[in-house]
Amino acid sequence: MEGIVTVDLHGKNQYQARITIDAALRRAKAGTYRLRLIHGYHSGTALRDMIRTEYAGKVLRIQSINEGTTDLILREF
């Protein structure tokens, strides 16, 4: 059981990040209940904002862990 899958988005633009997140969502196994996205915030909040708007209706819930990390909740544990 994987549980939480971590995806590092540092150095990616919004397009590259979206492709990476979509691929991680497709690869998520039945035991995966969270996708932890590490996007950082020192270079701006474009990735964080894109994640919150793009995936709001596609996952169960979006949870901000800290300023540089966002979790996509796929199902309740």
Side-chain angles (χ1 to χ4, degrees):
M1 183 165 147
E2 294 178 347
I4 300 174
V5 174
T6 303
V7 179
D8 188 355
L9 300 174
H10 284 100
K12 296 187 183 325
N13 61 33
Q14 289 184 32
Y15 176 76
Q16 294 166 331
R18 191 175 300 116
I19 288 174
T20 303
I21 295 166
D22 288 345
L25 285 169
R26 282 192 306 275
R27 286 192 312 266
K29 302 211 184 326
T32 304
Y33 62 94
R34 282 182 186 237
L35 198 63
R36 180 156 291 158
L37 308 174
I38 303 171
H39 47 74
Y41 68 97
H42 290 295
S43 298
T45 60
L47 288 180
R48 182 191 69 193
D49 296 342
M50 181 274 297
I51 291 166
R52 289 180 181 175
T53 58
E54 183 76 20
Y55 295 96
K58 297 180 181 178
V59 296
L60 182 65
R61 188 171 82 244
I62 297 176
Q63 182 177 7
S64 180
I65 301 302
N66 57 43
E67 293 177 345
T69 306
T70 302
D71 277 6
L72 299 181
I73 312 299
L74 307 179
R75 63 182 182 85
E76 294 298 335
F77 179 66

